[in-house]
Amino acid sequence: MSLTRREFGCGLCGLTALAYAGRLPGQSEPGAAFIAPGYRPATGSDERGIWRQMEREERDLKTSRFVIRDAELNRYVHDIVCRLGKDHCPDLRGYIVRTPYFNASMAPNGMMQVWTGLLLRCNDEAQLSAILGHEMGHYLRQHSIQRFRDVRDKASFSAFLGMGLAVAGAGGAAPLVDLAMVASIYAYSRDQEREADQIGLELMSKAGYSPMAAPEVWGQLIAESKAGTGSRSSDFLFATHPDPEERQGTLRETAAKLDSGTAERAHARYLERLGPIRQRMVGDELALRQYGRSELVFDRLLAQSPDDGLLWYAKGEVCRLRDGPEDAGRARAAYDKAIAAGGAPPETYRSVMMVEMKAGARERAQSAFDTYVKLRPDASDAEILRSLLAQ
Amino acid sequence: MTMDTTSMNLRLTLFLGIVLLAGCVTRFSLVPPERQTVGDVISVQPGMKWNKLNSHNYQGRVEVWTLDGPVLNTLLFFTGVPDGEPLFTQRTMGSGGQEKPPVFKASMNPVEIQELLEATIARYFQTTLAEGRNLKPVPIAEGKGFRFETRMVGRDEVERDGVFVGTIRNKKLYGAWFQGAKLYYYDRYLPEFDRMVASARLVGEAAAK
């Protein structure tokens, strides 16, 4: 079996969903040192070799078509990282990767990947900071190097290579990997996960974010899993870690001790900054056709933002695409709310047209089509939609 | 180990070797530029020599052809996808724990079939960079059909263009999707694909009234 450089290197990237596998967040180790700002491993060391490997990975990632290039959005995420990492800011580089699953990862050389599925699912900036802070905990305590040495010392280097192979998808171009296999390999590092949990809570608290966002994110993952739709990004966690609720409770308990009560959530700013890619993220989630899970996500986001036309459109699309017995009516109701709320894409009217056509309401279908082509005068599907109306 | 056992092992090894070799040899079959019937339902006239893949990773009501190898260009014939079945899935994917693939429904219109192929590509090729566009009504096999273009980037980061043509007859989807590397391998053979589509006829159960 050949192993590509990317596949090997990604064995060194911690995965946040996996990182959240730890059961109980304890205190960070008293007196344990963080990596120093500006740190570089010694020439000739095993760590230096790993850094070189990750630098090559990063060069590939920089040119990947799956990386979101929006400058303002990248600056926004980087600012959050710097707000958490403070003196470490110059050493950290974030990449937003277009992958519709809940995940982030951080390599030992400071390369951080944030998947769009994570951005979609966070309610606000504080929730995102909980994930990023956790990842930075791994970085600051050099967990991946420790893990590499542990595995190597146990004469299981092949297992490490296997780990790299298993998470090859995390390299940016391959979103769907065998996460269950990854989970089984990563299960041994729960102590590190607990430590990263604790560091993440402390970092976000010191940065002025509400640490209560951390147990919230975990609770959202639990709810997605309980939707029972086979979400590969979360179900495997619960298969190998049986006490997610207990862990959520402990996270909440620890966060409550750190919570000042006045800490920032930054909900409106978060939505505004994600604006340029929100429709793409919604489309990527819908393309997975995991109706139950997606509806849960959109319903949760709508509870936070009941006047968000894009989210109502997304809910309508879930219903229309699922095409169950009650779905046409539910889709129509969601589209109505999307149109009333504003901010819905022109395609909302195309979807209304299709739902009305199937219901036999030709006049309403024609009206929706007219609005669609008015809003989207260059619509390349106008001719075929017109032909459908004429049938 | 006895001599008999050694001899038996040798014969078994040779037999397995021959079987494996045969598998390699028959992975592709030459498709000559003569009228062909695909899946007993689609009749087309190729203008050049194609290669039919006898073993591939697509699972479904499909037949797979290529000119330069499946990495560079692929032609998928959809030979009557019935209501409730996916366009195609990955043969190597296990069934346990996998998310259910999106399925074709006989009530779908062309817009919905374009959405279905987009979602199928996203799943099969593990990508978020897949889109259909320029959906148009076209006549196909002496009946109504539709055509749209596809663009995707897979795990290998190669940009691939494609074109899908299809029609629904007797509540089943018949069609063809040609896709290839945007650089050279798609454009070069698009005219050949278009000629084949123009020559297409539905036969057998697909032609039943």
Side-chain angles (χ1 to χ4, degrees):
Chain A
M1 178 185 296
S2 64
L3 193 66
T4 67
R5 184 159 44 80
R6 169 170 290 187
E7 289 165 346
F8 175 83
C10 282
L12 297 159
C13 303
L15 294 171
T16 288
L18 298 164
Y20 267 70
R23 285 177 300 178
L24 302 169
Q27 297 295 312
S28 56
E29 191 180 332
F34 284 167
I35 189 173
Y39 172 81
R40 294 288 180 277
T43 304
S45 65
D46 57 352
E47 190 177 1
R48 181 69 199 130
I50 288 170
W51 274 52
R52 282 202 186 116
Q53 182 69 45
M54 298 317 302
E55 284 159 5
R56 285 193 287 269
E57 291 295 328
E58 193 169 353
R59 278 201 295 273
D60 287 350
L61 186 61
K62 277 179 181 173
T63 59
S64 170
R65 292 166 189 264
F66 291 84
V67 170
I68 302 278
R69 310 279 172 199
D70 184 283
E72 280 194 32
L73 180 59
N74 276 281
R75 197 176 306 118
Y76 173 62
V77 172
H78 182 70
D79 287 349
I80 297 172
V81 170
C82 286
R83 184 169 162 179
L84 294 165
K86 299 188 184 340
D87 293 346
H88 294 275
C89 175
D91 303 327
L92 306 174
R93 299 163 306 284
Y95 299 88
I96 302 168
V97 183
R98 192 173 167 186
T99 302
Y101 288 99
F102 181 105
N103 229 327
S105 67
M106 190 146 189
N109 69 336
M111 170 181 68
M112 177 182 275
Q113 293 185 42
V114 180
W115 289 8
T116 48
L118 165 63
L119 295 177
L120 175 70
R121 282 164 171 75
C122 287
N123 284 342
D124 51 40
E125 199 173 300
Q127 288 196 351
L128 178 60
S129 79
I131 306 301
L132 301 185
H134 177 102
E135 281 306 307
M136 289 172 63
H138 284 302
Y139 167 79
L140 292 170
R141 291 284 291 120
Q142 295 178 287
H143 283 163
S144 54
I145 300 296
Q146 288 175 26
R147 195 168 74 236
F148 168 73
R149 289 174 178 156
D150 284 350
V151 173
R152 182 192 60 191
D153 293 347
K154 288 172 186 168
S156 299
F157 192 71
S158 60
F160 180 77
L161 291 177
M163 182 170 68
L165 182 65
V167 294
L176 310 176
V177 295
D178 192 341
L179 294 173
M181 181 178 168
V182 182
S184 67
I185 292 166
Y186 272 74
Y188 70 92
S189 61
R190 288 183 187 177
D191 286 345
Q192 291 178 330
E193 304 298 358
R194 282 194 284 270
E195 187 172 52
D197 266 352
Q198 179 65 25
I199 294 170
L201 284 171
E202 289 169 1
L203 289 179
M204 64 189 295
S205 181
K206 284 177 186 169
Y209 290 115
S210 169
M212 297 308 293
E216 282 176 13
V217 171
W218 181 241
Q220 289 162 199
L221 261 184
I222 293 171
E224 272 196 49
S225 175
K226 284 184 174 175
T229 53
S231 165
R232 299 179 74 199
S233 62
S234 54
D235 278 0
F236 69 93
L237 292 177
F238 307 116
T240 53
H241 300 84
D243 302 315
E245 283 90 356
E246 180 187 338
R247 175 171 178 269
Q248 185 197 9
T250 311
L251 265 173
R252 188 185 296 118
E253 190 181 307
T254 311
K257 290 175 186 167
L258 294 166
D259 190 19
S260 66
T262 57
E264 192 177 27
R265 300 301 303 246
H267 171 70
R269 180 171 64 210
Y270 183 72
L271 291 187
E272 182 199 336
R273 298 299 170 87
L274 287 181
I277 65 164
R278 285 186 77 223
Q279 192 173 341
R280 261 185 281 171
M281 294 195 299
V282 164
D284 292 344
E285 174 67 26
L286 291 169
L288 295 174
R289 302 293 181 103
Q290 298 305 304
Y291 308 115
R293 185 187 70 189
S294 294
E295 190 169 28
L296 190 82
V297 170
F298 294 135
D299 280 347
R300 179 173 55 73
L301 294 172
L302 276 166
Q304 287 284 117
S305 310
D307 297 324
D308 191 321
L310 175 63
L311 291 175
W312 281 115
Y313 163 73
K315 182 174 172 68
E317 289 293 87
V318 169
C319 298
R320 179 180 68 83
L321 294 166
R322 181 170 51 201
D323 196 21
E326 307 290 327
D327 277 332
R330 297 176 70 220
R332 190 67 176 87
Y335 295 140
D336 284 346
K337 287 183 177 174
I339 291 165
E347 284 69 25
T348 308
Y349 292 94
R350 185 180 68 175
S351 295
V352 170
M353 176 202 145
M354 290 193 285
V355 171
E356 296 292 13
M357 272 189 61
K358 288 192 175 177
R362 290 196 168 270
E363 281 187 21
R364 287 203 291 268
Q366 180 70 53
S367 172
F369 170 77
D370 292 343
T371 308
Y372 171 58
V373 293
K374 186 178 172 186
L375 294 173
R376 190 77 85 192
D378 57 347
S380 65
D381 53 3
E383 184 184 352
I384 199 153
L385 293 173
R386 204 172 281 116
S387 75
L388 291 174
L389 282 167
Q391 285 176 9
Chain B
M1 185 180 288
T2 66
M3 195 66 177
D4 282 350
T5 307
T6 305
S7 174
M8 195 182 336
N9 284 343
L10 182 63
R11 281 201 296 270
L12 185 62
T13 303
L14 281 171
F15 173 74
L16 287 174
I18 290 166
V19 168
L20 288 171
L21 192 62
C24 293
V25 170
T26 59
R27 188 180 171 209
F28 295 94
S29 300
L30 186 67
V31 180
E34 301 164 0
R35 184 159 280 278
Q36 304 288 327
T37 302
V38 182
D40 296 328
V41 288
I42 300 173
S43 171
V44 290
Q45 171 68 61
M48 57 180 66
K49 291 177 183 174
W50 285 75
N51 303 281
K52 177 186 170 185
L53 274 73
N54 298 316
S55 67
H56 49 76
N57 203 25
Y58 295 94
Q59 190 160 28
R61 307 288 175 106
V62 296
E63 183 167 312
V64 187
W65 291 11
T66 182
L67 284 160
D68 300 297
V71 174
L72 298 175
N73 46 37
T74 304
L75 172 57
L76 251 72
F77 289 100
F78 297 87
T79 56
V81 181
D83 185 279
E85 282 195 11
L87 296 183
F88 54 83
T89 57
Q90 279 203 50
R91 193 179 296 280
T92 52
M93 275 186 174
S95 56
Q98 297 294 331
E99 296 166 341
K100 289 181 182 173
V103 297
F104 165 73
K105 292 185 179 179
S107 60
M108 283 179 162
N109 62 45
V111 175
E112 292 167 322
I113 290 172
Q114 178 179 303
E115 291 172 334
L116 175 63
L117 183 62
E118 287 170 347
T120 304
I121 291 171
R123 171 181 298 261
Y124 186 92
F125 295 98
Q126 304 181 352
T127 180
T128 45
L129 303 179
E131 62 166 355
R133 55 190 182 172
N134 294 328
L135 174 61
K136 308 281 182 196
V138 292
I140 289 176
E142 300 171 340
K144 289 181 178 176
F146 52 92
R147 170 193 176 104
F148 58 87
E149 296 159 10
T150 62
R151 174 159 290 179
M152 57 172 278
V153 178
R155 295 177 67 157
D156 55 8
E157 303 257 351
V158 173
E159 195 170 358
R160 290 181 172 83
D161 282 349
V163 58
F164 178 95
V165 294
T167 183
I168 297 175
R169 305 281 170 89
N170 301 326
K171 296 189 175 179
K172 289 185 177 179
L173 176 68
Y174 300 91
W177 177 43
F178 173 66
Q179 56 95 358
K182 183 184 176 188
L183 193 67
Y184 184 75
Y185 292 95
Y186 172 73
D187 286 339
R188 180 179 179 190
Y189 299 115
L190 184 58
E192 160 71 0
F193 175 74
D194 285 337
R195 280 192 296 270
M196 282 176 60
V197 170
S199 77
R201 295 197 304 259
L202 292 178
V203 297
E205 68 166 38
K209 298 292 182 186

